Amino acid sequence: MAPGMNEGELQLQQPKEEKEKKPRPSSKKLPVKRSSVQPGPPACNLDGAEGPSTSIAAAKQQVKLEEPEEDFTFDEPPLKKIKSAACPQGTPIKFAASANLNEEHKMNWDIVKVLSQRTGIEEWVCANIIRLFNDDNTIPFIARYRKELINNLEADALREVQQVLEELHSVAKKVHGAIQKLKKEGKLSGNLLTALLNCRTSEELDHVYAPYKTGSKGTKAQRARQLGLEPAANLLIENPRELNLLSYVKEGLSTIEEVKSGVQHILADMIAKDRETLDFIRDLCQRQYICLQSALAKGTSQKANEKDVNKFHLYKNFSCNVKNIHHHQILAINRGENLKILTVKVNIPDRTKNEFSRWCVNERWRPKAFAKPELMQLLRDSVEDSYKRLIYPLLCREIRSKLTSDAEKESVMMFGRNLRQLLLTSPVRGRTLMGVDPGYKHGCKLAIISPTSQILHTDVVYLHSGRGFHEAQKIRKLMLDFNCGTVVIGNGTACRETEAYFADLIMKKYFEPLDVTYCITNEAGASIYSVSPEACKEMPDLDPNLRSAARRVRDMARVILRLSSRHKDGHDVSQTLLKATLDSVVEECVSFVGVDINICSEILLRHIAGLNANRAKNIIEWREKNGPFINREQLKAVKGLGPKSYQQCAGFIRINQEYIRTFLRHTESEGIRVEATNEKQGKKKIKAAANVTWQPDPLDQTCIHPESYNMAMRFLTFIGGSPSEIGKPEMQQKVNVLLEREGMEGISKRLTTTGQTLQIIIDGLTQPEGFDIRKDFDKPDFKRSIVCLEDLSVGTILTGRVENATLFGVFVDIGVGKAGLIPMHRITEDKLPKAKKRRSLALGPGEKVEVRVCDINIPQSRISLDLIRVL
């Protein structure tokens, strides 16, 4: 069991010796059939493991279940992996069989195997992730503190697994809803139940269930069954010698042809819903050349705007293999189809149908006894009818659906990577900033922001109405009065003219003795934020036009995390998926950066893993009532913060030790005693609880989770360090000496812990106080001069900063007022650095690059670039 895990979470299973307790039920989770890594044939047989690799040194020692911990205490880290001769590196724990899970929603497929197939992640990792999510663990917590259980997957990969898992849950839930409905209506047969339980996608479910929906006229096969022809169809396959079609001619079936037609429809329906048949045709399609074709819809020129039609000129006569088509092309084609400008078709070659028909007639649906030629012809007609009328449309829907789903997911993942890069933009600290919101008629709005983000002054200047010189004097006076040497200009209307204005003044050294620089910042979402309730609460006395000036450069995360995904450009993708990704990425970034619990806002707290709006509000109320938090343990006294919430958020909350020491010295000098009781706010006091005098814990300023505090103190003992040295150079020196002498693996064995947990402990002890992971990311570019588009020439080598990354290329700001595009095919692996800060980011917003100008189109203001290297 991983350190600090409570009962009902991940546990090492030993079924023969101890009984597993059922996991805590949750109405939010769909109990689909889940399985774990099974003992037996696989190379890594957990049942034959030699002994534990971490925490408890005794081989074959039983792992006891923990009692529920009402006081939130955490024990030493116990077992996480088991090694065996076949798997010397250790295979993470296996889970109990699905006996403890609700049997009601079992399917005919294994959710772990399907999840592994769709994501390309090992089955044991998928099994661990399923249980972690079922136990209400958050992605930031899993990605940082449960790395050994997920094979060091990053948050992006966890998000992808979560999305696929939710899709499978949704399908299973719909399947069992359909089964219950069909049972009530008396329409559920054995074959139909099997077909429903075989469904793995929504398209398959629709294919099987559509004829039975309320209001459906019924299929041809259903009507034939009602006429009593199903025994004839079964006989054709099972015992064709006994089949006499003439015996079925009766009222309602007046001719032999009508009987044949009815039998054909039933056979076609049986073939189209057979799992083995569908698997064969899908596998066959994987080996064939299948293309997606689009063309201009008939009558488009009269109905649609010519400008809209021209947007899709690349797809007027388009054809591409579905294996090679790009995601952005799929989204564009879908948009054109929705606007009724394009018609789209999936082209499956005839040889696929021919091979499928031969296989069906000669193998899968071959009669079990001799059949007359006319019956064999009926079988061939049934196979062809099944393919043309049922299977081919299903394949087309599945192909289109998968292409769209993959394109949407990739687009949203790209959005998430861009957003993360923006959120992790290193904040500009220690400078007084002048924020400028450019404008023409209504002037440029100014705001002077202090190094601590306080608004010192606001004003409006009219730079583009013939009053430039007079306004320059006002700006110079403001900058000298507030000792401001940095100007931040929004990239909206009049940005270029405002940039030229300030660049000219800087070139003339108008602001001497100040050494003034400027930068351009992205205004996306600034207007929305400025009129939001959060902005009104934060700056109630300011005009909305002045609220967002310079805020982004001061700290990008503080503004962007307030924005909703519905305000982003993502009309081609699922808004539900987009919003979920936005919320998840914001939670990941805010959690990984960490927050100082005693000074952060309620808005910021909402985005910490394990917290929500109510818990954040309760924390702020507790802080206002009781004063600052002295240590993390006090969080347990906050209303609504249970064991799971505390476990998820504790590692991401920081307590500034210098601030706490100052606060305690002040309270002691005033004769105030800082006390707190063990009772929760808002609850009746059952019995008198002894007052506790809280003491600061130096580990509370680090990224080390409270569940690993005992391990961290043992490590400090090993290196001869003390808590007072945390974050100081002496601590780094002692850690380096021990690492050189024993190495990570040797220390891990001595501490009986995993390398991942040890790395977090080392990072937490050696990082200086106030460490911010964003310092490793790039800061905004500050400039003193301006370059025009006309100054460029083909072959010119420039440095720039990535402005946005898309599925078809990367836009780079090269300082000429118009971003240049590096097409995706010019971003090759050899041009990217070997060691990236984050492997999943690739080229993202904010990264510096060296580029070569390949083409310039001045009339259309287009610049084509080639990537030389990443700086």
Side-chain angles (χ1 to χ4, degrees):
M1 190 173 72
M5 286 188 174
N6 294 323
E7 186 177 29
E9 296 181 34
L10 300 175
Q11 298 182 24
L12 178 69
Q13 302 300 327
Q14 295 183 357
K16 296 180 180 179
E17 298 179 358
E18 63 186 55
K19 186 177 180 181
E20 178 189 336
K21 294 192 80 171
K22 291 187 178 181
R24 177 181 55 189
S26 173
S27 59
K28 297 181 181 178
K29 298 293 179 296
L30 177 68
V32 182
K33 175 184 176 183
R34 302 171 175 85
S35 73
S36 60
V37 181
Q38 299 295 329
C44 300
N45 187 340
L46 296 173
D47 292 339
E50 295 174 358
S53 63
T54 61
S55 305
I56 301 177
K60 298 183 181 179
Q61 181 172 355
Q62 294 187 15
V63 179
K64 296 181 180 179
L65 291 170
E66 295 181 358
E67 292 297 320
E69 298 176 326
E70 297 297 335
D71 59 351
F72 304 85
T73 57
F74 295 92
D75 201 352
E76 297 285 328
L79 280 154
K80 289 184 182 177
K81 289 186 179 181
I82 292 183
K83 293 182 181 179
S84 67
C87 284
Q89 77 280 8
T91 299
I93 62 172
K94 65 172 182 176
F95 296 121
S98 57
N100 286 350
L101 300 173
N102 195 329
E103 301 290 333
E104 182 184 353
H105 289 137
K106 274 195 171 183
M107 303 292 289
N108 286 350
W109 38 267
D110 187 328
I111 194 171
V112 174
K113 291 181 179 178
V114 174
L115 188 62
S116 177
Q117 290 167 2
R118 294 192 182 181
T119 59
I121 295 171
E122 299 96 323
E123 287 187 20
W124 65 265
V125 178
C126 290
N128 288 352
I129 292 173
I130 289 172
R131 184 58 63 91
L132 285 165
F133 282 142
N134 284 352
D135 286 340
D136 296 325
N137 291 288
T138 60
I139 286 178
F141 177 81
I142 296 171
R144 175 170 285 182
Y145 299 113
R146 296 293 182 262
K147 290 183 178 182
E148 64 281 348
L149 296 178
I150 60 171
N151 202 21
N152 297 308
L153 289 180
E154 293 187 356
D156 279 341
L158 287 173
R159 221 167 353 256
E160 182 183 355
V161 173
Q162 186 181 44
Q163 289 167 5
V164 175
L165 188 59
E166 287 174 356
E167 290 172 6
L168 293 173
H169 284 172
S170 176
V171 169
K173 187 174 181 179
K174 289 178 181 177
V175 164
H176 285 274
I179 289 173
Q180 293 302 320
K181 188 173 181 180
L182 290 170
K183 275 183 181 178
K184 290 180 181 179
E185 296 173 355
K187 299 178 181 178
L188 188 65
S189 64
N191 290 338
L192 179 56
L193 176 62
T194 302
L196 286 168
L197 292 176
N198 283 337
C199 294
R200 301 185 185 187
T201 65
S202 296
E203 289 72 34
E204 288 185 56
L205 176 59
D206 291 340
H207 174 68
V208 174
Y209 182 58
Y212 304 94
K213 288 183 179 178
T214 305
S216 173
K217 296 179 181 179
T219 63
K220 294 179 179 180
Q222 280 181 304
R223 293 195 288 273
R225 286 187 175 101
Q226 290 169 1
L227 292 171
L229 293 177
E230 187 165 18
N234 290 331
L235 273 178
L236 195 153
I237 302 298
E238 299 295 332
N239 193 0
R241 291 176 179 173
E242 296 183 4
L243 178 59
N244 181 8
L245 295 177
L246 285 172
S247 64
Y248 290 90
V249 176
K250 58 181 180 178
E251 187 178 351
L253 293 168
S254 55
T255 65
I256 190 72
E257 294 302 323
E258 289 183 3
V259 174
K260 286 183 178 180
S261 178
V263 172
Q264 175 180 311
H265 293 151
I266 293 173
L267 284 173
D269 184 69
M270 292 167 59
I271 292 168
K273 292 177 181 176
D274 178 63
R275 165 58 57 187
E276 187 176 339
T277 303
L278 291 176
D279 286 344
F280 176 83
I281 188 63
R282 289 189 184 110
D283 181 64
L284 188 60
C285 287
Q286 289 292 321
R287 295 182 272 114
Q288 300 291 336
Y289 180 90
I290 298 174
C291 64
L292 186 72
Q293 298 174 337
S294 66
L296 211 58
K298 293 180 180 179
T300 298
S301 55
Q302 289 81 20
K303 296 179 182 178
N305 188 321
E306 186 177 349
K307 186 177 180 182
D308 290 336
V309 174
N310 289 335
K311 290 179 182 178
F312 300 97
H313 69 277
L314 293 175
Y315 305 103
K316 290 180 181 179
N317 190 19
F318 178 83
S319 179
C320 183
N321 189 339
V322 293
K323 294 179 181 179
N324 301 329
I325 193 167
H326 296 294
H327 296 304
H328 70 273
Q329 293 174 325
I330 292 294
L331 296 177
I333 289 172
N334 289 349
R335 186 163 64 249
E337 185 180 34
N338 292 335
L339 294 173
K340 295 183 171 36
I341 295 173
L342 300 176
T343 57
V344 187
K345 176 185 176 185
V346 177
N347 187 8
I348 301 177
D350 289 339
R351 62 177 175 271
T352 304
K353 182 188 75 171
N354 297 335
E355 187 173 342
F356 170 74
S357 298
R358 283 194 299 271
W359 177 82
C360 285
V361 173
N362 297 329
E363 295 185 38
R364 179 72 180 105
W365 297 94
R366 182 178 180 177
K368 296 181 179 179
F370 174 78
K372 296 177 182 179
E374 59 266 24
L375 294 182
M376 289 302 296
Q377 184 59 45
L378 178 57
L379 178 59
R380 281 190 286 270
D381 292 342
S382 299
V383 171
E384 187 169 345
D385 178 47
S386 179
Y387 178 84
K388 182 179 179 181
R389 186 167 53 86
L390 301 172
I391 295 177
Y392 176 76
L394 172 65
L395 292 173
C396 291
R397 289 195 301 271
E398 286 184 344
I399 291 170
R400 290 288 308 275
S401 176
K402 186 176 188 310
L403 289 174
T404 299
S405 176
D406 290 348
E408 285 188 351
K409 286 178 183 176
E410 185 59 32
S411 181
V412 168
M413 293 298 283
M414 176 70 75
F415 165 80
R417 289 192 290 268
N418 289 345
L419 177 62
R420 185 197 291 109
Q421 193 86 337
L422 287 172
L423 288 172
L424 294 178
T425 299
S426 183
V428 177
R429 291 176 174 152
R431 297 193 192 195
T432 301
L433 306 178
M434 173 182 283
V436 182
D437 182 7
Y440 290 115
K441 184 177 180 181
H442 299 289
C444 299
K445 289 80 179 179
L446 305 181
I448 307 291
I449 311 293
S450 74
T452 57
S453 296
Q454 301 300 313
I455 298 173
L456 304 177
H457 181 78
T458 61
D459 213 327
V460 179
V461 293
Y462 299 87
L463 307 181
H464 313 300
S465 57
R467 298 169 57 185
F469 178 74
H470 177 267
E471 300 292 17
Q473 293 178 323
K474 181 194 289 189
I475 294 171
R476 183 175 187 274
K477 184 176 185 305
L478 287 173
M479 298 185 78
L480 290 173
D481 288 348
F482 293 101
N483 193 30
C484 174
T486 304
V487 179
V488 181
I489 304 170
N491 66 345
T493 305
C495 165
R496 193 68 180 159
E497 293 81 356
T498 305
E499 180 186 9
Y501 178 86
F502 277 94
D504 182 57
L505 294 178
I506 292 171
M507 291 290 289
K508 294 176 180 176
K509 299 184 179 180
Y510 184 77
F511 300 109
E512 282 192 343
L514 295 175
D515 181 19
V516 177
T517 58
Y518 73 90
C519 75
I520 307 297
T521 190
N522 193 345
E523 281 188 0
S527 299
I528 297 167
Y529 163 69
S530 65
V531 295
S532 67
E534 290 82 4
C536 296
K537 185 177 179 180
E538 186 179 4
M539 296 168 278
D541 301 325
L542 277 189
D543 182 275
N545 291 319
L546 299 170
R547 281 178 180 149
S548 61
R551 181 64 88 202
R552 285 176 177 270
V553 173
R554 172 65 69 211
D555 192 341
M556 181 73 76
R558 292 183 59 187
V559 177
I560 292 184
L561 66 86
R562 295 167 166 88
L563 304 179
S564 167
S565 64
R566 65 177 176 272
H567 302 309
K568 303 294 181 184
D569 293 330
H571 306 295
D572 294 334
V573 300
S574 164
Q575 293 301 299
T576 302
L577 180 61
L578 187 61
K579 185 180 187 306
T581 302
L582 168 70
D583 293 341
S584 179
V585 170
V586 169
E587 182 182 71
E588 173 200 341
C589 292
V590 176
S591 297
F592 284 178
V593 171
V595 297
D596 187 333
I597 190 69
N598 288 318
I599 62 173
C600 69
S601 66
E602 180 183 327
I603 302 297
L604 199 62
L605 268 179
R606 291 178 189 175
H607 297 282
I608 288 292
L611 301 183
N612 55 26
N614 286 335
R615 292 169 190 150
K617 181 181 177 183
N618 291 340
I619 289 174
I620 298 300
E621 288 177 353
W622 193 97
R623 190 174 72 190
E624 292 172 351
K625 179 181 177 181
N626 299 282
F629 288 87
I630 306 300
N631 59 31
R632 286 170 171 167
E633 287 289 309
Q634 286 181 289
L635 284 167
K636 300 170 186 176
V638 176
K639 180 182 177 182
L641 213 67
K644 176 58 69 172
S645 299
Y646 176 77
Q647 181 196 41
Q648 299 299 302
C649 74
F652 306 116
I653 283 174
R654 307 282 187 272
I655 296 180
N656 186 293
Q657 296 301 296
E658 183 61 35
Y659 173 78
I660 294 302
R661 285 192 291 268
T662 303
F663 171 76
L664 291 177
R665 282 196 298 267
H666 173 72
T667 54
E668 287 175 4
S669 64
E670 296 286 333
I672 303 171
R673 188 182 177 194
V674 181
E675 294 180 345
T677 63
N678 290 331
E679 62 173 315
K680 282 217 171 205
Q681 63 180 107
K683 291 189 176 181
K684 292 182 179 179
K685 195 172 181 181
I686 299 174
K687 60 180 181 179
N691 285 342
V692 178
T693 302
W694 297 104
Q695 295 297 327
D697 189 334
L699 293 175
D700 288 341
Q701 68 182 331
T702 71
C703 61
I704 302 171
H705 198 281
E707 65 188 15
S708 299
Y709 277 7
N710 290 340
M711 189 66 64
M713 296 307 295
R714 288 175 59 196
F715 179 78
L716 279 174
T717 303
F718 279 179
I719 65 174
S722 67
S724 62
E725 296 175 328
I726 292 176
K728 296 181 179 178
E730 306 89 74
M731 178 66 72
Q732 183 70 64
Q733 292 174 2
K734 292 178 180 179
V735 169
N736 290 342
V737 169
L738 185 64
L739 285 174
E740 289 176 5
R741 187 172 70 243
E742 298 191 26
M744 286 287 290
E745 188 175 350
I747 301 172
S748 298
K749 288 181 179 178
R750 287 186 63 186
L751 290 172
T752 60
T753 188
T754 62
Q756 292 92 338
T757 300
L758 178 61
Q759 186 61 58
I760 291 175
I761 291 172
I762 291 175
D763 290 342
L765 295 178
T766 56
Q767 288 167 351
E769 187 172 349
F771 173 79
D772 191 336
I773 65 169
R774 294 174 294 177
K775 76 179 184 63
D776 293 329
F777 289 79
D778 296 315
K779 291 184 172 65
D781 275 328
F782 294 99
K783 304 186 287 185
R784 291 182 172 82
S785 61
I786 189 170
V787 180
C788 298
L789 181 63
E790 290 75 11
D791 297 336
L792 295 179
S793 60
V794 174
T796 303
I797 295 178
L798 302 165
T799 58
R801 188 177 294 275
V802 175
E803 189 176 86
N804 189 26
T806 68
L807 297 175
F808 55 85
V810 172
F811 289 95
V812 178
D813 180 7
I814 53 176
V816 297
K818 186 70 178 179
L821 174 67
I822 307 176
M824 196 59 75
H825 68 270
R826 291 180 182 160
I827 305 175
T828 55
E829 198 171 334
D830 59 299
K831 297 177 182 178
L832 297 175
K834 292 182 180 179
K836 298 287 290 179
K837 299 182 187 75
R838 294 176 63 94
R839 179 175 54 84
S840 63
L841 286 180
L843 271 183
E847 295 200 61
K848 286 186 176 180
V849 292
E850 186 175 29
V851 295
R852 179 185 294 105
V853 178
C854 296
D855 185 53
I856 306 168
N857 188 332
I858 294 179
Q860 294 186 341
S861 298
R862 291 182 178 177
I863 308 167
S864 179
L865 304 173
D866 183 23
L867 176 66
I868 298 177
R869 62 192 176 104
V870 179
L871 301 175

